[in-house]
């Protein structure tokens, strides 16, 4: 049984404190029923039920036809061979050939029947999983590693589809064939049948013992595979950091450690399956040897015909595959059950429902925070609320700068506005309407966000920017790029249609940040949230962006997280956040006169050189890929 592992997760923003959260991959649930887990696949498999039934029927007829071979052999031995009538062999030989062709043809039909519908089942399940991941709150993604989610959408999905296509069919077919063959053996000789079935009881006990141990090992292996995928993903995304600090060997050691743990678990699974297989094969073979000895004695005393003995032994040998495959089929059923559990661990996560506040709309306009409290869902019980009663009003058409020390909760407060997180207490209103009363889709059209850490996708510049307003035209795109001073786009190999590559790493940090800013303003949002969006820009480019941004801010209601005094000067008013509350609100000059905490914060920022007024070289001269390098990167 896999032990619970604890992993430290941190928020994406250095502004927030790290919180230790439990790893969701904590092993199989206690007393898990394999059958109950697999039954959860039925709603997805139901559209393919007739094809599955056809596959079972085809495989069953093919497998049962093999049991006709012993009957034909009995007639051959007791007939043409016993009476030395070689001419009588042609008809039975033709029957044997026909049975072989029927078996081969039906097994081929089985594969054709289930291939396409089960591919659709897998596609539907993967689509539902992806849709669920998109709807789950950010707090869920804070707790789960991307590798664990990736393994559920890939390897686990393949395991479930393969189970429906093969092990499920043959668990049914082999059971029916075994029962049919057992009846046939009793018909041929009940004494020999009893001898052959002696191992049945110990085999059932052994398989039950095996199932519980293999289930734990299978779950552990799948979780370790997810952890390994996380290490690979982090290594690839962070390859520049690893190389820059010479930590690639340390990461390789970490990867090797995860690989060895996975190998150990897989070898443990192999040992369990090998031991089971040895017993499953050995006991029936021993029983069959005893039955052969007893049958030979009966034939010698004329109590049994030679043809009947041959038919009995042929039937017993035909049942070897249903018996020997039992271990493998049970092992795969356990792996499929574990994959199903892992899949539904995500699907069972509740999606936050809309909870109308029932409050009458307020008379004021703009953004209002009233008694807002927040703590992370997985924070320790003795941890105080990060936000402990925030009261703040951003007037309509006003730009308000939010400042505070690192870890004070500025980024968290801005994340509550578009409901990336849900408040623990209090309320947030937009133009007098509680955000909980606004459907999320509509809310996120009203509120546009630019984060300090810009995220770009493997798509063109155009697609990345217009993600903020899918229906926007080329004119709005050009206007947004102009506001963000993103003239570098014109110098890219294909202009706005240039592919920026994964995470946008073919661009400089300042270029990525300007595209993220353009994405935030392209749709002319009613409410704009900017989380220190200019931190990666040089002073000259920052001044140009601020000048253009003032025009955008004049037509919207904006909340700007500021770390630089220059960014603070974009705002009409400033709010100081400390100890989970707003402790001062006013203009920049007013707070410099009235708030010692604000003066200390600003003096620290100024001392760090962030307010230096002298112009710097344009960022286009900063390290960034030139057109030829970017074109080569895009082609790669």
């Amino acid at each position: 049984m896999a032990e619970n592992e604890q992993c430290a997760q941190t928020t994406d923003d250095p502004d927030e404190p790290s919180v230790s959260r439990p790893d969701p991959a904590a092993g199989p649930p206690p007393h898990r029923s394999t059958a109950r887990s697999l039954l959860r696949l039925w709603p997805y498999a139901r559209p393919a039920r007739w094809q599955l039934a056809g596959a079972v029927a085809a495989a069953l007829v093919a497998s049962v036809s093999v049991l006709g071979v012993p009957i034909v052999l009995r007639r051959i031995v007791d007939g043409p061979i016993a009476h030395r009538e070689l001419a009588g062999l042609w008809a039975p030989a033709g029957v044997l050939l026909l049975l072989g062709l029927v078996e081969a043809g039906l097994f081929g039909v089985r594969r054709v029947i289930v291939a396409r519908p089960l591919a659709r089942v897998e596609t539907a399940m993967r689509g539902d999983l992806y849709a669920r991941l998109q709807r789950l709150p950010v707090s869920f993604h804070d707790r789960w590693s991307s590798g664990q989610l990736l393994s559920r959408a890939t390897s686990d999905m393949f395991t479930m589809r393969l189970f429906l296509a093969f092990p499920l069919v043959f668990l049914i077919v082999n059971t029916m064939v075994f029962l049919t063959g057992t009846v046939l053996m009793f018909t041929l000789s009940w004494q020999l049948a009893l001898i052959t079935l002696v191992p049945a009881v110990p085999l059932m006990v052994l398989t039950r013992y095996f199932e519980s141990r293999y289930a734990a090992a299978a779950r552990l292996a799948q979780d370790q595979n997810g952890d390994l995928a996380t290490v690979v993903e982090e290594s690839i995304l962070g390859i520049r950091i690893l190389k820059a600090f010479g930590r690639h060997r340390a990461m390789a050691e970490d990867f090797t450690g995860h690989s060895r743990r996975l190998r150990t678990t897989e070898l443990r699974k192999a040992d369990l399956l090998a031991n089971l297989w040895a017993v499953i094969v050995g006991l029936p073979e021993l029983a069959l040897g005893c039955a052969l000895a007893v049958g030979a004695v009966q034939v010698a005393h004329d109590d049994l015909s030679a043809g009947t003995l041959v038919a009995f032994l042929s039937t017993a040998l035909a049942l070897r595959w249903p018996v020997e495959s039992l271990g493998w089929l049970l092992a795969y059923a356990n792996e499929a059950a574990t994959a199903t559990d892992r899949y539904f661990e995500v699907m069972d996560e509740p999606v936050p429902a809309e909870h109308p506040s029932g409050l009458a709309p307020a008379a004021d306009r703009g953004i209002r925070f009233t008694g807002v409290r927040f703590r992370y869902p997985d924070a320790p019980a003795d941890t105080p609320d990060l936000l402990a009663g925030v009261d703040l009003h951003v007037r309509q058409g006003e730009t308000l700068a939010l400042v505070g020390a690192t870890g004070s909760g500025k980024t968290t407060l801005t994340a509550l506005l578009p409901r990336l997180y849900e408040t623990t207490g209090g309320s947030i209103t937009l133009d007098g309407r509680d955000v909980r009363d606004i459907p999320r889709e509509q809310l996120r059209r009203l509120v546009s966000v630019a984060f300090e850490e810009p995220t770009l996708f493997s798509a063109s510049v155009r697609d990345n920017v217009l993600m903020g307003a899918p229906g926007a035209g080329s004119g709005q795109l050009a206007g947004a790029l102009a506001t963000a001073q993103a003239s570098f786009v014109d110098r890219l190999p294909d202009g706005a249609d240039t592919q920026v590559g994964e995470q946008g790493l073919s661009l400089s940090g300042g270029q990525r940040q300007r595209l993220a800013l353009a994405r935030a303003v392209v749709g002319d949002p009613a409410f704009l949230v900017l989380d220190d969006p200019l931190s990666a820009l040089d002073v000259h480019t920052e001044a140009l962006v601020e000048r253009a941004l003032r025009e955008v801010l004049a037509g919207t209601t904006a909340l700007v997280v500021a770390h630089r005094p220059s960014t603070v000067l974009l705002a009409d008013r400033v709010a100081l956040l400390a100890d989970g509350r707003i402790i001062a609100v006013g203009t920049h000059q007013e707070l410099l006169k009235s708030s010692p905490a604000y003066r200390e914060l600003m003096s620290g920022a100024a001392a760090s050189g962030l307010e230096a007024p002298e112009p710097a070289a344009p960022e286009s001269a900063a390290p960034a890929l030139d057109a030829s390098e970017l074109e080569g990167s895009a082609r790669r």
Side-chain angles (χ1 to χ4, degrees), residues 74-252:
R74 180 185 182 184
R75 295 179 63 87
I76 291 175
V77 172
D78 288 344
I81 293 179
H83 299 92
R84 299 180 182 275
E85 297 175 355
L86 298 182
L89 288 175
W90 292 107
V95 173
L96 289 177
L97 178 60
L98 179 62
L99 290 174
L101 293 175
V102 168
E103 179 187 11
L106 289 176
F107 275 128
V109 168
R110 180 197 67 82
R111 286 183 175 274
V112 173
I113 289 175
V114 297
R116 193 179 298 273
L118 289 184
R120 287 196 293 266
V121 169
E122 182 182 12
T123 300
M125 293 184 69
R126 185 177 288 113
D128 285 355
L129 180 65
Y130 183 80
R132 192 73 169 189
L133 291 174
Q134 297 299 306
R135 296 180 61 201
L136 285 169
V138 175
S139 57
F140 167 85
H141 293 278
D142 288 344
R143 298 195 310 270
W144 286 69
S145 67
S146 55
Q148 289 290 347
L149 298 176
L150 183 63
S151 66
R152 283 161 170 79
T154 52
S155 59
D156 287 351
M157 210 68 64
F158 173 77
T159 299
M160 289 184 281
R161 177 175 65 83
L162 188 59
F163 169 76
L164 293 173
F166 189 80
L168 174 62
V169 170
F170 280 96
L171 277 171
I172 298 172
V173 169
N174 288 359
T175 300
M176 298 299 295
V177 170
F178 181 79
L179 293 176
T180 304
T182 300
V183 171
L184 179 58
M185 286 195 299
F186 271 97
T187 302
L188 294 171
S189 173
W190 65 269
Q191 299 98 329
L192 299 183
L194 287 176
I195 295 173
T196 306
L197 295 177
V198 165
V201 174
L203 282 178
M204 286 189 291
V205 174
L206 178 66
T207 52
R208 180 61 181 171
Y209 172 75
F210 159 82
E211 182 181 10
S212 61
R213 299 191 68 185
Y214 193 88
R219 174 59 193 247
L220 181 59
Q222 287 169 315
D223 288 341
Q224 289 173 337
N225 188 55
D227 293 337
L228 189 63
T230 300
V231 172
V232 173
E233 181 190 31
E234 290 178 345
S235 300
I236 294 172
L237 293 179
I239 190 65
R240 288 167 174 78
I241 299 299
L242 294 178
K243 288 182 175 294
F245 288 93
R247 301 297 296 171
H248 51 281
R249 289 188 178 86
M251 187 59 77

Side-chain angles (χ1 to χ4, degrees), residues 298-494:
Q298 289 181 335
V299 170
H301 291 82
D302 292 328
D303 294 330
L304 192 71
S305 69
T308 302
L309 179 60
V310 170
F312 181 90
L313 294 176
S314 298
T315 303
L317 291 174
L319 296 182
R320 285 182 60 183
W321 159 244
V323 174
E324 291 177 2
S325 66
L326 180 64
W328 180 82
L329 293 174
L330 289 176
Y332 206 93
N334 272 282
E335 296 208 19
T338 299
T340 304
D341 288 338
R342 283 163 50 87
Y343 176 82
F344 282 102
E345 282 172 359
V346 176
M347 297 299 293
D348 290 341
E349 282 285 333
V351 174
E354 303 291 343
H355 296 294
S357 64
L359 301 175
D364 54 351
R365 309 282 287 178
I367 306 170
R368 182 176 289 277
F369 298 85
T370 305
V372 171
R373 307 182 68 87
F374 179 78
R375 63 183 290 113
Y376 285 102
D378 299 312
D382 56 350
T383 302
D385 289 351
L386 181 60
L387 301 177
V390 172
D391 294 298
L392 181 64
H393 183 207
V394 185
R395 304 171 189 138
Q396 185 180 26
E398 178 185 46
T399 298
L400 185 138
L402 183 65
V403 300
T406 299
S408 59
K410 302 185 298 297
T411 294
T412 297
L413 186 63
T414 59
L416 296 177
L417 191 59
R419 294 182 65 188
L420 300 182
Y421 293 96
E422 297 290 344
T423 59
T424 305
S427 66
I428 304 173
T429 61
L430 300 179
D431 286 344
R433 188 178 178 189
D434 197 298
V435 294
R436 291 168 294 183
D437 297 335
I438 305 174
R440 283 187 175 84
E441 185 176 352
Q442 180 185 355
L443 174 65
R444 289 164 187 172
R445 284 199 301 267
L446 292 172
V447 181
S448 189
V449 182
F451 297 105
E452 181 179 6
E453 292 295 332
T455 298
L456 299 180
F457 297 87
S458 299
S460 67
V461 169
R462 183 187 308 277
D463 292 338
N464 272 285
V465 173
L466 293 185
M467 188 176 291
S474 298
Q476 288 174 281
L477 172 65
L481 292 174
T483 298
Q485 299 298 302
S487 57
F488 68 89
V489 172
D490 296 330
R491 299 191 296 273
L492 296 179
D494 298 314

